Amino acid sequence: MTLQRTETAPAEQRGGTYEHDGLATSLLRYRTHTIHDLPRTSKVCTMGSAPDRDIVVEGECVSASHCRIERRARGLVVTDAGSKNGTYYEAKRALGHALIPSFEEKRALAKGFVLDAGMTFVLGKPSHRYLALDDAMRAEHPALLDIVGGEVEVGEENATRGSSERASPSDLILAADGAGHILITGDPGCDQEELARIVHAISKRRRHPPVQLARVPEGRDAQGEILKHDAAKGTLVLDLGDRDSYVDPTFVSSLFSSSYQIRVIVLARTVEGASRALGAQYVHPMMQVGLRPLSARRSVIQPLLDRWLAQQGSPLRLSDLTPENERALLVNDWRENLAALREAALRLAAIVRAGFSLNRARQDIGVNRNTFYNWYGSTMRLSLPLVPESREKALAAAIATQTQVAKT
């Protein structure tokens, strides 16, 4: 008997909105930066408070041998190991204001539960909640912290305000894993476009490239092509920029309807501007992520700049600068936010590589002379020398060593 090959239907005719979940490969302790890798070769991973567990979970209500994660034919299965306070899995999730989730959980039965990426489970009490990550989520996590802010940073701001208005990076992973529309607001340079890319990259729609739209075409045929084919069952990123004029209401109505199963990510300067452009009835239910300017996140300037300098392969760090130059960068207004900080890392690294010659540095990276010198003196308010003489020699020696190693 010869089996006939089943033809593939056009994308717009296929059922189902999402691809299969990615395989969980690590666990993020919810609202922390602690990530545990799940063993890829061994069949079983154990969790508990005993020091011989594969993943040690310290804290009250966690038994010495609390639960185990086993690779089976049906996937990663979590079973309770006879713990005193039980293991609970997420049965239902609701995302409220600013993406803050509420969970409904069930106690794990003897047969356990299948753990998929984007799902949470609890050991004993809610403070021991873990979020399962796949490789894509794990890879994007550092960039998510850079843009949204670390868990401590977000928590401190919410505590200062006496509210929970800002979502943590963990909450945003949960939101990306869901199906809701998202509004990302912020000043230029806050990496709204990059955050939209990350949301799509860690979502269940990641295998289909997102549709980027800065302006809605006027013709109905062109609009229909976007809705029915290009973005159907996928992600559409609508960048409003500084505009708050009306977007074609017929297109907006279709875009947010369930007919085409499109996840919409809107980029705008403000919530009010997005509401004027799209209509408050569509914007109000959206998950809203407000990105803060770098001038309101001064505690992250040093660690971000140092890390981005390291990514440039530069031995320079902020603390190497003269006190005047270090202070100048810390108090700068950073009008272009993260984009400006990345540019500073690139140019400062070039200056060190060029032996602290501004002219050679700007030539090496292809920047106009006036532009570079204006950036150094007027925009960054840096002075000469960039670093003390003692550090200049040490940094020059480090660059020479790197060059020699590269040659060999």
Side-chain angles (χ1 to χ4, degrees):
M1 177 179 175
T2 303
L3 296 178
Q4 293 184 342
R5 183 176 179 180
T6 303
E7 295 183 1
T8 301
E12 65 273 15
Q13 297 178 12
R14 295 180 214 155
T17 304
Y18 305 116
E19 301 288 348
H20 294 297
D21 291 338
L23 178 67
T25 54
S26 59
L27 299 178
L28 169 65
R29 186 158 181 176
Y30 183 58
R31 291 190 176 171
T32 75
H33 300 164
T34 302
I35 296 180
H36 302 281
D37 288 319
L38 294 173
R40 294 176 183 256
T41 55
S42 59
K43 186 178 179 180
V44 177
C45 175
T46 58
M47 297 182 69
S49 59
D52 62 345
R53 301 296 88 186
D54 296 314
I55 297 177
V56 178
V57 183
E58 298 179 350
E60 57 182 342
C61 302
V62 179
S63 297
S65 180
H66 199 104
C67 69
R68 50 190 276 145
I69 304 173
E70 187 174 357
R71 298 182 185 277
R72 297 182 186 174
R74 58 190 175 120
L76 292 178
V77 177
V78 181
T79 54
D80 189 80
S83 68
K84 181 177 181 180
N85 295 296
T87 303
Y88 299 81
Y89 67 95
E90 178 188 330
K92 187 177 180 181
R93 178 196 311 163
L95 289 168
H97 177 68
L99 311 184
I100 308 302
S102 60
F103 301 97
E104 180 181 311
E105 284 132 359
K106 293 183 178 180
R107 187 160 184 162
L109 301 176
K111 64 179 182 179
F113 59 90
V114 176
L115 181 66
D116 291 323
M119 176 181 175
T120 72
F121 67 100
V122 173
L123 275 63
K125 58 185 299 188
S127 59
H128 304 304
R129 181 181 300 279
Y130 286 85
L131 169 59
L133 307 180
D134 59 24
D135 286 338
M137 294 172 178
R138 174 70 182 269
E140 299 290 356
H141 186 253
L144 193 60
L145 298 180
D146 291 349
I147 299 170
V148 178
E151 300 283 350
V152 173
E153 180 187 347
V154 173
E156 288 177 348
E157 185 189 354
N158 285 337
T160 300
R161 293 185 177 186
S163 65
S164 298
E165 293 183 358
R166 291 193 64 225
S168 73
S170 299
D171 296 329
L172 196 53
I173 292 174
L174 295 176
D177 183 67
H181 306 304
I182 297 179
L183 170 64
I184 304 173
T185 59
D187 294 337
C190 284
D191 275 12
Q192 294 95 320
E193 299 87 353
E194 177 65 5
L195 182 57
R197 184 199 66 77
I198 291 173
V199 168
H200 176 75
I202 63 178
S203 74
K204 293 183 175 69
R205 303 166 185 253
R206 72 187 71 165
R207 291 178 178 84
H208 303 282
V211 174
Q212 309 280 345
L213 200 60
R215 292 192 177 277
V216 178
E218 295 181 0
R220 289 284 182 249
D221 289 343
Q223 292 179 4
E225 187 69 19
I226 292 172
L227 295 169
K228 298 175 183 178
H229 302 287
D230 299 344
K233 301 181 181 178
T235 300
L236 185 142
V237 180
L238 178 59
D239 188 353
L240 298 176
D242 292 329
R243 295 175 290 111
D244 57 8
S245 55
Y246 285 110
V247 177
D248 185 339
T250 301
F251 178 80
V252 173
S253 175
S254 299
L255 182 63
F256 285 97
S257 74
S258 59
S259 301
Y260 305 106
Q261 300 180 42
I262 299 172
R263 184 202 220 141
V264 184
I265 302 177
V266 176
L267 312 181
R269 290 291 298 274
T270 64
V271 175
E272 294 74 19
S275 297
R276 285 191 293 270
L278 303 176
Q281 69 272 30
Y282 299 111
V283 171
H284 180 72
M286 296 179 75
M287 304 170 183
Q288 297 178 9
V289 183
L291 302 181
R292 295 194 304 159
L294 200 54
S295 60
R297 304 177 60 200
R298 296 201 178 275
S299 63
V300 305
I301 292 175
Q302 178 170 356
L304 283 180
L305 182 59
D306 284 351
R307 182 151 55 79
W308 291 342
L309 283 166
Q311 290 174 359
Q312 293 288 331
S314 177
L316 180 71
R317 298 295 180 265
L318 184 63
S319 59
D320 290 322
L321 305 184
T322 63
E324 296 79 12
N325 287 334
E326 181 178 357
R327 184 165 52 252
L329 293 184
L330 291 174
V331 302
N332 193 281
D333 55 15
W334 298 105
R335 292 182 181 179
E336 296 302 319
N337 296 297
L338 294 176
L341 194 63
R342 287 194 185 90
E343 180 182 64
L346 173 67
R347 295 184 177 186
L348 290 172
I351 292 171
V352 176
R353 284 197 308 271
F356 297 93
S357 167
L358 300 188
N359 191 46
R360 280 182 51 199
R362 67 95 185 167
Q363 290 176 338
D364 290 344
I365 59 178
V367 177
N368 174 274
R369 179 185 177 88
N370 290 338
T371 299
F372 193 84
Y373 279 85
N374 183 67
W375 168 83
Y376 188 92
S378 299
T379 304
M380 293 292 103
R381 296 185 175 88
L382 297 172
S383 58
L384 293 174
L386 180 65
V387 302
E389 183 179 354
S390 59
R391 288 304 300 155
E392 184 173 323
K393 293 179 179 179
L395 291 168
I399 290 292
T401 300
Q402 288 178 350
T403 304
Q404 186 61 34
V405 170
K407 288 181 178 180
T408 58

